[in-house]
Amino acid sequence: MFGGNDDTGDDSGTRDADGYERAREEMVERLAAREALSDDTLDAMAAVPRHEFVPPARRDRAYEDRPLPIGSDQTISAPHMVAAMVDLLDPSPGESVLEIGTGCGYHAAVTAELVGPENVYSVEYHASLADETEDRLARLGYGGISVRIGDGHEGWPAHAPYDAAYLTCAAAEFPTAVVEQVRPEGRLLGPLESAGGRTARGRAGGQHLVFARRRADGGLDRETHGRVRFVPMQDN
């Protein structure tokens, strides 16, 4: 595993030794009981110190199975959602992966545990988040992850083609540029806004997690999974 450096310069290293580490183990145990996840996914979740990716004032809640605010109206996804997305995308060692929406860097770090940090490329809209996250990733042993400030709709063409790409923010559709940057037979995953208006109770259709595989002709073969709730993708 690539990460695991808990030397933060404050008391979090000590706390990890007698509190956070056990909390992380319990989180993984809950995930294993709740979801049909691969051993590789569970190992990756166990390796990444989630408390390092949340604001200090919320670290006591870092291993609860819930999203938490990280600033700039963004959130870190609940552990079960990160695990489910990683498992669905099923990245293999050495594959190149594009992430749209770096946020605090937690999802990228979990992905890096499976493919290697040097194979993860992430685009973040908010410059302040991107700068903080680059520093955090480097400190925790994930400095090989590449982070770019920009519009996620444009992807990151310089490193294409990618074996897989995923969104950590909700969009009406997979961005065209991102689809084009994934190789034929490559995979895409993300929360997409549901078509069809209202549910039976009159509420908006919401979002669903959608997995897709790119065909040689550029089209997508899709699988729709459960309902989800993510912050919206930023538009310029």
Side-chain angles (χ1 to χ4, degrees):
M1 294 297 175
F2 297 94
N5 178 7
D6 287 317
D7 184 7
T8 64
D10 56 24
D11 68 347
S12 62
T14 301
R15 181 62 183 273
D16 190 66
D18 60 16
Y20 289 128
E21 184 174 0
R22 181 54 190 157
R24 186 158 65 250
E25 291 172 354
E26 291 172 349
M27 176 193 76
V28 174
E29 290 169 1
R30 291 193 301 269
L31 289 172
R34 170 178 173 169
E35 309 278 351
L37 300 169
S38 72
D39 289 343
D40 287 343
T41 295
L42 292 172
D43 288 345
M45 295 294 292
V48 181
R50 189 174 188 256
H51 65 277
E52 296 283 6
F53 293 84
V54 302
R58 299 184 183 274
R59 285 185 176 174
D60 286 347
R61 310 186 76 175
Y63 294 102
E64 296 179 7
D65 195 16
R66 57 179 296 170
L68 295 170
I70 58 171
S72 300
D73 295 323
Q74 305 299 299
T75 61
I76 179 174
S77 293
H80 82 270
M81 182 54 60
V82 174
M85 290 182 68
V86 168
D87 213 63
L88 275 171
L89 200 64
D90 193 24
S92 299
E95 287 194 316
S96 61
V97 180
L98 173 64
E99 175 185 66
I100 304 301
T102 315
C104 63
Y106 178 67
H107 198 143
V110 175
T111 301
E113 288 289 343
L114 295 170
V115 302
E118 69 280 3
N119 296 311
V120 179
Y121 302 89
S122 187
V123 181
E124 173 54 47
Y125 183 85
H126 298 280
S128 59
L129 275 180
D131 291 340
E132 292 174 3
T133 295
E134 280 192 294
D135 291 343
R136 179 182 301 112
L137 290 170
R139 172 169 57 80
L140 296 174
Y142 300 102
I145 295 173
S146 298
V147 178
R148 169 180 175 265
I149 300 167
D151 183 352
H153 294 88
E154 300 172 358
W156 197 341
H159 302 285
Y162 301 97
D163 296 296
Y166 65 91
L167 315 179
T168 66
C169 42
E173 184 52 271
F174 290 114
T176 300
V178 173
V179 174
E180 291 175 348
Q181 289 166 27
V182 172
R183 65 169 175 80
E185 298 304 316
R187 296 98 64 204
L188 297 103
L189 180 69
L192 300 185
E193 296 169 4
S194 304
R198 301 278 169 175
T199 66
R201 295 185 179 181
R203 295 178 299 193
Q207 306 164 5
H208 283 82
L209 190 61
V210 177
F211 173 88
R213 190 174 296 276
R214 188 182 181 204
R215 300 192 301 266
D217 64 6
L220 297 176
D221 293 323
R222 302 169 184 254
E223 301 172 0
T224 299
H225 294 267
R227 290 175 62 87
V228 293
R229 185 175 180 181
F230 282 74
V231 296
M233 191 170 180
Q234 295 287 334
D235 290 312
N236 280 340

mmCIF file of all heavy atoms in Angstrom, residues 108-139:
data_model
loop_
_atom_site.group_PDB
_atom_site.id
_atom_site.type_symbol
_atom_site.label_atom_id
_atom_site.label_comp_id
_atom_site.label_asym_id
_atom_site.label_seq_id
_atom_site.Cartn_x
_atom_site.Cartn_y
_atom_site.Cartn_z
ATOM 1 N N ALA A 108 -9.473 9.880 -4.444
ATOM 2 C CA ALA A 108 -8.282 9.690 -5.274
ATOM 3 C C ALA A 108 -7.246 8.823 -4.569
ATOM 4 O O ALA A 108 -6.594 7.975 -5.191
ATOM 5 C CB ALA A 108 -7.677 11.047 -5.643
ATOM 6 N N ALA A 109 -7.087 9.024 -3.255
ATOM 7 C CA ALA A 109 -6.117 8.234 -2.504
ATOM 8 C C ALA A 109 -6.523 6.762 -2.464
ATOM 9 O O ALA A 109 -5.668 5.867 -2.603
ATOM 10 C CB ALA A 109 -5.986 8.790 -1.089
ATOM 11 N N VAL A 110 -7.819 6.495 -2.268
ATOM 12 C CA VAL A 110 -8.273 5.101 -2.266
ATOM 13 C C VAL A 110 -8.028 4.467 -3.633
ATOM 14 O O VAL A 110 -7.557 3.329 -3.736
ATOM 15 C CB VAL A 110 -9.760 5.022 -1.876
ATOM 16 C CG1 VAL A 110 -10.269 3.582 -1.984
ATOM 17 C CG2 VAL A 110 -9.978 5.546 -0.456
ATOM 18 N N THR A 111 -8.327 5.206 -4.700
ATOM 19 C CA THR A 111 -8.068 4.701 -6.049
ATOM 20 C C THR A 111 -6.578 4.451 -6.257
ATOM 21 O O THR A 111 -6.173 3.447 -6.860
ATOM 22 C CB THR A 111 -8.587 5.698 -7.091
ATOM 23 O OG1 THR A 111 -9.995 5.886 -6.906
ATOM 24 C CG2 THR A 111 -8.335 5.205 -8.509
ATOM 25 N N ALA A 112 -5.749 5.362 -5.737
ATOM 26 C CA ALA A 112 -4.301 5.218 -5.881
ATOM 27 C C ALA A 112 -3.782 3.960 -5.206
ATOM 28 O O ALA A 112 -2.780 3.376 -5.649
ATOM 29 C CB ALA A 112 -3.599 6.445 -5.312
ATOM 30 N N GLU A 113 -4.424 3.528 -4.143
ATOM 31 C CA GLU A 113 -4.004 2.288 -3.490
ATOM 32 C C GLU A 113 -4.132 1.090 -4.433
ATOM 33 O O GLU A 113 -3.417 0.094 -4.278
ATOM 34 C CB GLU A 113 -4.847 2.042 -2.231
ATOM 35 C CG GLU A 113 -4.547 2.972 -1.072
ATOM 36 C CD GLU A 113 -3.205 2.703 -0.424
ATOM 37 O OE1 GLU A 113 -2.633 1.605 -0.655
ATOM 38 O OE2 GLU A 113 -2.714 3.576 0.298
ATOM 39 N N LEU A 114 -5.002 1.192 -5.423
ATOM 40 C CA LEU A 114 -5.240 0.078 -6.338
ATOM 41 C C LEU A 114 -4.444 0.185 -7.635
ATOM 42 O O LEU A 114 -4.042 -0.837 -8.191
ATOM 43 C CB LEU A 114 -6.736 -0.004 -6.649
ATOM 44 C CG LEU A 114 -7.612 -0.357 -5.444
ATOM 45 C CD1 LEU A 114 -9.078 -0.166 -5.772
ATOM 46 C CD2 LEU A 114 -7.354 -1.787 -4.994
ATOM 47 N N VAL A 115 -4.242 1.393 -8.132
ATOM 48 C CA VAL A 115 -3.585 1.534 -9.440
ATOM 49 C C VAL A 115 -2.190 2.131 -9.346
ATOM 50 O O VAL A 115 -1.431 2.091 -10.317
ATOM 51 C CB VAL A 115 -4.442 2.382 -10.407
ATOM 52 C CG1 VAL A 115 -5.820 1.772 -10.587
ATOM 53 C CG2 VAL A 115 -4.538 3.827 -9.954
ATOM 54 N N GLY A 116 -1.845 2.710 -8.207
ATOM 55 C CA GLY A 116 -0.591 3.442 -8.061
ATOM 56 C C GLY A 116 -0.830 4.935 -8.203
ATOM 57 O O GLY A 116 -1.541 5.356 -9.122
ATOM 58 N N PRO A 117 -0.284 5.765 -7.307
ATOM 59 C CA PRO A 117 -0.545 7.211 -7.355
ATOM 60 C C PRO A 117 -0.202 7.861 -8.684
ATOM 61 O O PRO A 117 -0.893 8.781 -9.134
ATOM 62 C CB PRO A 117 0.340 7.755 -6.220
ATOM 63 C CG PRO A 117 0.508 6.608 -5.279
ATOM 64 C CD PRO A 117 0.547 5.384 -6.147
ATOM 65 N N GLU A 118 0.841 7.388 -9.323
ATOM 66 C CA GLU A 118 1.271 8.002 -10.582
ATOM 67 C C GLU A 118 0.287 7.771 -11.714
ATOM 68 O O GLU A 118 0.426 8.375 -12.802
ATOM 69 C CB GLU A 118 2.652 7.468 -10.975
ATOM 70 C CG GLU A 118 2.689 6.008 -11.397
ATOM 71 C CD GLU A 118 2.686 5.012 -10.246
ATOM 72 O OE1 GLU A 118 2.601 5.446 -9.070
ATOM 73 O OE2 GLU A 118 2.777 3.789 -10.511
ATOM 74 N N ASN A 119 -0.720 6.957 -11.500
ATOM 75 C CA ASN A 119 -1.708 6.651 -12.532
ATOM 76 C C ASN A 119 -3.056 7.325 -12.302
ATOM 77 O O ASN A 119 -4.014 7.043 -13.025
ATOM 78 C CB ASN A 119 -1.908 5.141 -12.622
ATOM 79 C CG ASN A 119 -0.652 4.420 -13.064
ATOM 80 O OD1 ASN A 119 -0.031 4.808 -14.045
ATOM 81 N ND2 ASN A 119 -0.267 3.386 -12.330
ATOM 82 N N VAL A 120 -3.129 8.206 -11.310
ATOM 83 C CA VAL A 120 -4.372 8.898 -10.997
ATOM 84 C C VAL A 120 -4.238 10.372 -11.385
ATOM 85 O O VAL A 120 -3.301 11.054 -10.966
ATOM 86 C CB VAL A 120 -4.727 8.792 -9.499
ATOM 87 C CG1 VAL A 120 -6.029 9.544 -9.203
ATOM 88 C CG2 VAL A 120 -4.867 7.327 -9.098
ATOM 89 N N TYR A 121 -5.197 10.855 -12.189
ATOM 90 C CA TYR A 121 -5.226 12.245 -12.662
ATOM 91 C C TYR A 121 -6.567 12.844 -12.260
ATOM 92 O O TYR A 121 -7.617 12.289 -12.571
ATOM 93 C CB TYR A 121 -5.052 12.289 -14.185
ATOM 94 C CG TYR A 121 -3.768 11.636 -14.637
ATOM 95 C CD1 TYR A 121 -3.731 10.268 -14.920
ATOM 96 C CD2 TYR A 121 -2.589 12.372 -14.740
ATOM 97 C CE1 TYR A 121 -2.546 9.652 -15.311
ATOM 98 C CE2 TYR A 121 -1.402 11.758 -15.131
ATOM 99 C CZ TYR A 121 -1.393 10.407 -15.408
ATOM 100 O OH TYR A 121 -0.216 9.794 -15.780
ATOM 101 N N SER A 122 -6.515 13.963 -11.545
ATOM 102 C CA SER A 122 -7.738 14.501 -10.961
ATOM 103 C C SER A 122 -7.891 15.977 -11.295
ATOM 104 O O SER A 122 -6.927 16.746 -11.247
ATOM 105 C CB SER A 122 -7.703 14.312 -9.437
ATOM 106 O OG SER A 122 -8.937 14.673 -8.868
ATOM 107 N N VAL A 123 -9.117 16.369 -11.622
ATOM 108 C CA VAL A 123 -9.436 17.753 -11.986
ATOM 109 C C VAL A 123 -10.341 18.343 -10.917
ATOM 110 O O VAL A 123 -11.389 17.770 -10.595
ATOM 111 C CB VAL A 123 -10.129 17.822 -13.364
ATOM 112 C CG1 VAL A 123 -10.422 19.277 -13.740
ATOM 113 C CG2 VAL A 123 -9.269 17.157 -14.432
ATOM 114 N N GLU A 124 -9.955 19.496 -10.368
ATOM 115 C CA GLU A 124 -10.722 20.174 -9.332
ATOM 116 C C GLU A 124 -11.056 21.599 -9.772
ATOM 117 O O GLU A 124 -10.186 22.338 -10.213
ATOM 118 C CB GLU A 124 -9.945 20.204 -8.014
ATOM 119 C CG GLU A 124 -10.573 21.033 -6.907
ATOM 120 C CD GLU A 124 -12.018 20.650 -6.613
ATOM 121 O OE1 GLU A 124 -12.297 19.437 -6.481
ATOM 122 O OE2 GLU A 124 -12.864 21.556 -6.526
ATOM 123 N N TYR A 125 -12.316 21.965 -9.627
ATOM 124 C CA TYR A 125 -12.786 23.298 -10.039
ATOM 125 C C TYR A 125 -12.304 24.393 -9.095
ATOM 126 O O TYR A 125 -11.948 25.482 -9.527
ATOM 127 C CB TYR A 125 -14.311 23.282 -10.094
ATOM 128 C CG TYR A 125 -14.936 24.573 -10.564
ATOM 129 C CD1 TYR A 125 -15.092 24.838 -11.922
ATOM 130 C CD2 TYR A 125 -15.381 25.520 -9.651
ATOM 131 C CE1 TYR A 125 -15.669 26.013 -12.351
ATOM 132 C CE2 TYR A 125 -15.962 26.704 -10.072
ATOM 133 C CZ TYR A 125 -16.096 26.954 -11.425
ATOM 134 O OH TYR A 125 -16.664 28.121 -11.843
ATOM 135 N N HIS A 126 -12.284 24.116 -7.800
ATOM 136 C CA HIS A 126 -11.958 25.128 -6.799
ATOM 137 C C HIS A 126 -10.449 25.167 -6.542
ATOM 138 O O HIS A 126 -9.880 24.201 -6.025
ATOM 139 C CB HIS A 126 -12.695 24.845 -5.494
ATOM 140 C CG HIS A 126 -14.189 24.876 -5.631
ATOM 141 N ND1 HIS A 126 -14.905 26.049 -5.646
ATOM 142 C CD2 HIS A 126 -15.087 23.865 -5.773
ATOM 143 C CE1 HIS A 126 -16.190 25.771 -5.772
ATOM 144 N NE2 HIS A 126 -16.332 24.454 -5.861
ATOM 145 N N ALA A 127 -9.828 26.294 -6.848
ATOM 146 C CA ALA A 127 -8.382 26.408 -6.699
ATOM 147 C C ALA A 127 -7.942 26.222 -5.250
ATOM 148 O O ALA A 127 -6.906 25.591 -4.984
ATOM 149 C CB ALA A 127 -7.907 27.768 -7.225
ATOM 150 N N SER A 128 -8.716 26.765 -4.311
ATOM 151 C CA SER A 128 -8.317 26.652 -2.905
ATOM 152 C C SER A 128 -8.305 25.196 -2.452
ATOM 153 O O SER A 128 -7.380 24.763 -1.749
ATOM 154 C CB SER A 128 -9.255 27.479 -2.018
ATOM 155 O OG SER A 128 -10.604 27.043 -2.160
ATOM 156 N N LEU A 129 -9.306 24.432 -2.862
ATOM 157 C CA LEU A 129 -9.331 23.011 -2.516
ATOM 158 C C LEU A 129 -8.176 22.267 -3.170
ATOM 159 O O LEU A 129 -7.523 21.430 -2.540
ATOM 160 C CB LEU A 129 -10.650 22.382 -2.959
ATOM 161 C CG LEU A 129 -11.854 22.487 -2.032
ATOM 162 C CD1 LEU A 129 -13.054 21.799 -2.656
ATOM 163 C CD2 LEU A 129 -11.563 21.903 -0.660
ATOM 164 N N ALA A 130 -7.915 22.566 -4.436
ATOM 165 C CA ALA A 130 -6.859 21.860 -5.162
ATOM 166 C C ALA A 130 -5.500 22.081 -4.505
ATOM 167 O O ALA A 130 -4.712 21.142 -4.342
ATOM 168 C CB ALA A 130 -6.825 22.326 -6.615
ATOM 169 N N ASP A 131 -5.207 23.309 -4.120
ATOM 170 C CA ASP A 131 -3.914 23.615 -3.501
ATOM 171 C C ASP A 131 -3.760 22.888 -2.173
ATOM 172 O O ASP A 131 -2.718 22.285 -1.890
ATOM 173 C CB ASP A 131 -3.772 25.124 -3.299
ATOM 174 C CG ASP A 131 -3.641 25.880 -4.613
ATOM 175 O OD1 ASP A 131 -3.294 25.247 -5.628
ATOM 176 O OD2 ASP A 131 -3.888 27.108 -4.618
ATOM 177 N N GLU A 132 -4.787 22.938 -1.334
ATOM 178 C CA GLU A 132 -4.736 22.252 -0.041
ATOM 179 C C GLU A 132 -4.605 20.746 -0.227
ATOM 180 O O GLU A 132 -3.860 20.075 0.502
ATOM 181 C CB GLU A 132 -5.998 22.561 0.764
ATOM 182 C CG GLU A 132 -6.117 24.006 1.217
ATOM 183 C CD GLU A 132 -7.462 24.271 1.881
ATOM 184 O OE1 GLU A 132 -8.257 23.307 2.028
ATOM 185 O OE2 GLU A 132 -7.710 25.429 2.254
ATOM 186 N N THR A 133 -5.319 20.232 -1.202
ATOM 187 C CA THR A 133 -5.330 18.785 -1.416
ATOM 188 C C THR A 133 -3.995 18.289 -1.938
ATOM 189 O O THR A 133 -3.521 17.216 -1.531
ATOM 190 C CB THR A 133 -6.474 18.401 -2.367
ATOM 191 O OG1 THR A 133 -7.716 18.711 -1.725
ATOM 192 C CG2 THR A 133 -6.444 16.924 -2.709
ATOM 193 N N GLU A 134 -3.375 19.027 -2.831
ATOM 194 C CA GLU A 134 -2.046 18.622 -3.309
ATOM 195 C C GLU A 134 -1.074 18.496 -2.152
ATOM 196 O O GLU A 134 -0.296 17.534 -2.069
ATOM 197 C CB GLU A 134 -1.532 19.625 -4.338
ATOM 198 C CG GLU A 134 -2.097 19.430 -5.728
ATOM 199 C CD GLU A 134 -1.342 20.241 -6.756
ATOM 200 O OE1 GLU A 134 -1.404 21.483 -6.702
ATOM 201 O OE2 GLU A 134 -0.682 19.631 -7.626
ATOM 202 N N ASP A 135 -1.087 19.478 -1.250
ATOM 203 C CA ASP A 135 -0.200 19.426 -0.088
ATOM 204 C C ASP A 135 -0.529 18.218 0.794
ATOM 205 O O ASP A 135 0.366 17.527 1.283
ATOM 206 C CB ASP A 135 -0.327 20.709 0.734
ATOM 207 C CG ASP A 135 0.229 21.932 0.018
ATOM 208 O OD1 ASP A 135 0.990 21.757 -0.951
ATOM 209 O OD2 ASP A 135 -0.106 23.061 0.426
ATOM 210 N N ARG A 136 -1.806 17.982 1.006
ATOM 211 C CA ARG A 136 -2.236 16.861 1.852
ATOM 212 C C ARG A 136 -1.804 15.527 1.251
ATOM 213 O O ARG A 136 -1.282 14.651 1.957
ATOM 214 C CB ARG A 136 -3.751 16.906 2.021
ATOM 215 C CG ARG A 136 -4.311 15.768 2.861
ATOM 216 C CD ARG A 136 -5.834 15.840 2.950
ATOM 217 N NE ARG A 136 -6.267 17.089 3.527
ATOM 218 C CZ ARG A 136 -6.931 18.037 2.856
ATOM 219 N NH1 ARG A 136 -7.241 17.857 1.566
ATOM 220 N NH2 ARG A 136 -7.300 19.134 3.450
ATOM 221 N N LEU A 137 -2.047 15.356 -0.035
ATOM 222 C CA LEU A 137 -1.687 14.102 -0.688
ATOM 223 C C LEU A 137 -0.186 13.845 -0.613
ATOM 224 O O LEU A 137 0.248 12.714 -0.357
ATOM 225 C CB LEU A 137 -2.163 14.119 -2.143
ATOM 226 C CG LEU A 137 -3.677 14.043 -2.346
ATOM 227 C CD1 LEU A 137 -4.033 14.321 -3.801
ATOM 228 C CD2 LEU A 137 -4.238 12.694 -1.914
ATOM 229 N N ALA A 138 0.599 14.889 -0.827
ATOM 230 C CA ALA A 138 2.048 14.729 -0.750
ATOM 231 C C ALA A 138 2.476 14.327 0.662
ATOM 232 O O ALA A 138 3.330 13.439 0.842
ATOM 233 C CB ALA A 138 2.732 16.023 -1.171
ATOM 234 N N ARG A 139 1.896 14.955 1.665
ATOM 235 C CA ARG A 139 2.253 14.668 3.054
ATOM 236 C C ARG A 139 1.903 13.242 3.444
ATOM 237 O O ARG A 139 2.616 12.615 4.241
ATOM 238 C CB ARG A 139 1.537 15.663 3.971
ATOM 239 C CG ARG A 139 1.673 15.369 5.447
ATOM 240 C CD ARG A 139 1.179 16.519 6.307
ATOM 241 N NE ARG A 139 -0.202 16.876 6.025
ATOM 242 C CZ ARG A 139 -1.266 16.231 6.489
ATOM 243 N NH1 ARG A 139 -1.092 15.155 7.247
ATOM 244 N NH2 ARG A 139 -2.495 16.634 6.210
#
